């Protein structure tokens, strides 16, 4: 079987018709040098035929100089809707499914910056099996040597804005097809309801961050507000002196909650401990233990936004810096792709919504965070966006410091895959929930 280089869907259709309409077609998705194993084609076709798969792909090896590094791939889930899902360099496509999915491609899809691959694979996956082989069946020459932390923000790089806008349109069309769109009129809160000990609480989960936690806490304690606030730090059984350092801070606004090892808390569990405590204010505002607020008006601006828009969540913008707060690429992360009309839908396509995140406490107390240390914030943001209005601040409020102690600065491919697998799981659950809610609303309207 000839390996076809994917350039665009129209060309792919032409090559299919010229290839005597065989059952499968082998497509290359990038320009990397590829060495297929002798049994590659037979094994891929066998699995595709046995599982009636619309798309089949496999794990692969990467050649790095004179070394070979294994590159596993994730299974495809219902929520694997990121446009950068890692299929590797080669996929086997069911010809009939390609033709059916691409028959009515719009001119916009046909001229897509990715050649229409994203739109094609989303359509092909509807109601079909996407098969992933956990077998290493080919080798490619590695071309991207950036660390995971350096790739993390490609999707919000202003240089990629045209690409991202197009992918959003494609994904919105897909959501419309599967009836997975968020409501057009999200719920607005009444921020004046209820009694709380303070108006706002800064929430800082921490574990073994002795070198950064004092800076974070100081940036929270020096906030200038017209309302009472506190800073709730949940120390998750630190052993490096972090807890002792916090115990020596005498500012009465600091509330130290001491979690122990046998509570088995992730970051999400620490958040739950803070928001359900008697000390938590009306609004719970995030600050990571190695980051800092950029100015002394951050809390005031966030609280003002809650009252202005009666939203259940406010998300700000941040600047990437080094340890000494000098800006580093890509600089400002403002998530300008967010729109009030479509942000809640596009949130399912991208890997994050921004920071600092702030929540209306009664809403998050009803939902609670998953007790994990990756994706807990994304899970909460998706769940809130399904139902409630979200406010945005596009000015930088926050310094996100990159240093050697960052947990996501240089991850192995296995850890990257685990993180992506979890977020795909969250997307799967959220998509199902939105589809069910829309079906229930349709049935209610027809009754």
């Amino acid at each position: 079987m000839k390996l076809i280089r994917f350039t665009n869907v129209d060309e792919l259709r032409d090559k299919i018709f010229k290839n005597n309409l065989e059952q499968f077609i082998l497509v290359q998705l990038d320009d990397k040098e590829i060495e297929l194993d002798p049994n590659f084609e037979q094994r891929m076709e066998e699995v595709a035929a046995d599982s009636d798969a619309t798309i089949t792909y496999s794990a692969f090896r990467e050649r790095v100089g004179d070394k070979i590094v294994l590159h596993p791939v994730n299974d495809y889930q219902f929520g694997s809707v990121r446009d950068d899902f890692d299929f590797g360099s080669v996929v086997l496509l069911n010809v009939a499914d390609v033709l059916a999915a691409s028959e009515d491609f719009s001119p916009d899809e046909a001229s897509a910056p990715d050649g229409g691959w994203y739109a094609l694979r989303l359509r092909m996956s509807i109601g079909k099996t996407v098969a992933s082989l956990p077998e290493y069946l080919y080798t490619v020459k590695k071309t991207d040597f950036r660390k995971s932390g350096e790739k993390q923000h490609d999707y919000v790089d202003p240089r990629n804005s045209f690409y991202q806008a197009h992918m959003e349109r494609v994904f919105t069309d897909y959501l419309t097809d599967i009836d997975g769109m968020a409501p057009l009129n999200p719920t607005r809160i009444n921020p004046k309801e209820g009694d709380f000990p303070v108006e706002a609480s800064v929430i800082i989960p921490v574990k073994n961050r002795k070198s950064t936690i004092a800076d974070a806490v100081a940036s929270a304690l020096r906030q200038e507000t017209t309302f009472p606030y506190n800073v709730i730090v949940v120390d998750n059984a630190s052993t490096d002196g972090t807890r002792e350092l916090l115990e020596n801070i005498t500012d009465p606004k600091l509330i130290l909650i001491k979690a122990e090892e046998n509570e088995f808390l992730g970051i999400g569990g620490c958040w739950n401990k803070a928001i359900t405590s008697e000390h938590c204010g009306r609004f719970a505002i995030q600050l990571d233990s190695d980051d800092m607020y950029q100015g002394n008006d951050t809390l005031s601006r966030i609280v003002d936004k809650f009252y202005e828009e009666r939203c259940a969540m406010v998300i700000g913008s941040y600047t990437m810096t080094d340890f000494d707060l000098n800006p580093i690429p890509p600089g400002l992360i403002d998530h300008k792709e967010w729109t009030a009309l479509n942000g809640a839908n596009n949130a399912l396509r991208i890997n994050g919504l921004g920071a600092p995140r702030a929540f209306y406490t009664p809403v998050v107390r009803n939902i609670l965070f998953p007790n994990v240390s990756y994706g807990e914030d994304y899970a909460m943001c998706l769940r809130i966006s399904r139902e409630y209005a979200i406010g945005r601040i596009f000015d930088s409020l926050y310094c996100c410091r990159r240093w050697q102690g960052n947990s996501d600065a240089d991850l192995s491919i296995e850890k990257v895959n685990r993180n992506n697998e979890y977020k795909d799981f969250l997307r799967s659950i959220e998509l199902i929930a939105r589809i069910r809610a829309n079906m229930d609303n349709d049935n209610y309207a027809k009754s």
Side-chain angles (χ1 to χ4, degrees):
M1 185 185 301
K2 183 179 179 182
L3 181 61
I4 296 175
R5 172 71 177 94
F6 188 93
T7 53
N8 63 68
V9 171
D10 287 342
E11 184 179 352
L12 181 61
R13 287 175 62 89
D14 289 341
K15 290 182 177 179
I16 285 174
F17 287 120
K18 292 176 182 177
N19 206 30
N20 298 321
L21 294 176
E22 295 183 0
Q23 184 179 4
F24 301 107
I25 191 167
L26 199 57
V27 175
Q28 181 177 347
L29 299 176
D30 54 37
D31 294 319
K32 294 178 180 178
E33 296 178 16
I34 300 176
E35 306 165 40
L36 302 180
D37 289 7
N39 67 329
F40 172 86
E41 187 175 324
Q42 177 181 344
R43 184 62 177 144
M44 292 280 280
E45 285 196 46
E46 181 181 68
V47 171
D50 287 347
S51 62
D52 191 24
T54 188
I55 301 172
T56 306
Y57 62 104
S58 77
F60 57 98
R61 310 173 202 90
E62 290 184 303
R63 187 179 299 281
V64 184
D66 58 355
K67 295 182 179 180
I68 295 294
V69 180
L70 297 180
H71 189 115
V73 292
N74 283 340
D75 288 339
Y76 195 92
Q77 305 180 49
F78 183 46
S80 298
V81 292
R82 294 173 290 117
D83 52 82
D84 61 350
F85 182 86
D86 185 9
F87 288 95
S89 296
V90 184
V91 292
L92 187 74
L93 304 181
N94 182 292
V95 166
D97 292 340
V98 171
L99 295 176
S102 61
E103 185 175 11
D104 59 346
F105 252 46
S106 68
D108 186 48
E109 290 170 322
S111 62
D114 68 339
W117 166 243
Y118 184 47
L120 179 66
R121 63 98 161 173
L122 286 179
R123 289 193 191 183
M124 289 181 66
S125 68
I126 298 176
K128 299 284 187 174
T129 298
V130 178
S132 167
L133 280 73
E135 304 165 17
Y136 299 89
L137 298 179
Y138 63 98
T139 304
V140 301
K141 185 176 180 181
K142 186 169 183 175
T143 58
D144 190 346
F145 292 92
R146 294 177 299 163
K147 296 179 179 180
S148 59
E150 296 169 331
K151 303 176 187 178
Q152 185 178 0
H153 297 102
D154 283 355
Y155 68 103
V156 290
D157 189 323
R159 292 172 296 182
N160 299 327
S161 58
F162 174 77
Y163 176 90
Q164 292 299 328
H166 184 93
M167 296 302 109
E168 179 178 351
R169 291 196 298 273
V170 168
F171 182 61
T172 303
D173 288 344
Y174 168 74
L175 284 182
T176 301
D177 289 343
I178 65 172
D179 202 15
M181 295 283 281
L184 289 174
N185 298 304
T187 301
R188 302 277 173 177
I189 65 165
N190 179 357
K192 296 181 179 179
E193 287 183 344
D195 296 320
F196 297 88
V198 291
E199 184 73 351
S201 291
V202 176
I203 308 296
I204 309 177
V206 62
K207 185 178 181 69
N208 293 337
R209 283 289 186 265
K210 183 180 179 180
S211 61
T212 61
I213 186 62
D215 291 338
V217 170
S219 80
L221 291 175
R222 63 172 171 258
Q223 292 296 300
E224 298 172 358
T225 68
T226 59
F227 51 79
Y229 76 93
N230 60 25
V231 178
I232 303 177
V233 180
V234 182
D235 178 68
N236 193 8
S238 292
T239 58
D240 69 340
T242 293
R243 178 171 294 187
E244 290 75 14
L245 185 155
L246 292 166
E247 288 173 333
N248 287 326
I249 297 175
T250 58
D251 192 310
K253 292 195 297 292
L254 177 66
I255 307 295
L256 176 58
I257 297 178
K258 302 175 183 179
E260 302 306 332
E261 198 71 40
N262 60 8
E263 295 183 65
F264 306 109
L265 297 184
I267 294 174
C270 291
W271 261 93
N272 292 337
K273 206 169 181 69
I275 63 174
T276 57
S277 78
E278 62 181 358
H279 305 288
C280 191
R282 187 183 305 274
F283 306 110
I285 302 171
Q286 169 249 345
L287 178 59
D288 288 348
S289 59
D290 46 8
D291 299 331
M292 297 171 62
Y293 289 142
Q294 197 158 335
N296 296 341
D297 62 346
T298 297
L299 292 194
S300 294
R301 294 192 63 189
I302 290 173
V303 169
D304 286 348
K305 180 64 70 170
F306 275 111
Y307 282 98
E308 288 168 10
E309 299 191 13
R310 296 190 295 115
C311 44
M313 179 167 66
V314 172
I315 305 177
S317 302
Y318 60 96
T319 300
M320 299 295 299
T321 74
D322 61 20
F323 189 85
D324 297 318
L325 306 184
N326 299 304
I328 60 174
L332 176 66
I333 308 295
D334 56 13
H335 284 272
K336 278 285 183 67
E337 82 284 346
W338 176 274
T339 62
L341 286 177
N342 205 44
N345 299 309
N346 195 43
L348 284 161
R349 182 184 67 87
I350 60 179
N351 249 355
L353 278 74
R357 296 166 293 276
F359 308 96
Y360 181 50
T361 298
V363 169
V364 289
R365 281 177 172 171
N366 284 334
I367 298 172
L368 296 181
F369 290 81
N371 185 28
V372 295
S373 291
Y374 177 84
E376 75 292 334
D377 50 350
Y378 187 61
M380 180 62 74
C381 290
L382 287 183
R383 176 60 187 88
I384 291 176
S385 71
R386 184 199 313 171
E387 184 178 353
Y388 294 94
I390 296 175
R392 300 300 303 238
I393 297 174
F394 294 109
D395 302 326
S396 184
L397 303 178
Y398 190 97
C399 292
C400 181
R401 297 202 283 183
R402 276 286 179 259
W403 62 296
Q404 65 273 16
N406 283 136
S407 57
D408 58 355
D410 187 15
L411 303 180
S412 67
I413 182 60
E414 291 80 9
K415 185 63 181 294
V416 169
N417 281 352
R418 285 196 296 274
N419 288 348
N420 283 330
E421 180 182 34
Y422 183 64
K423 283 195 172 178
D424 284 352
F425 162 75
L426 295 175
R427 294 183 184 97
S428 297
I429 300 302
E430 186 62 29
L431 271 171
I432 293 169
R434 293 186 186 193
I435 292 170
R436 291 184 62 193
N438 289 335
M439 290 177 60
D440 290 343
N441 289 336
D442 288 344
N443 292 333
Y444 177 78
K446 293 174 184 177
S447 63

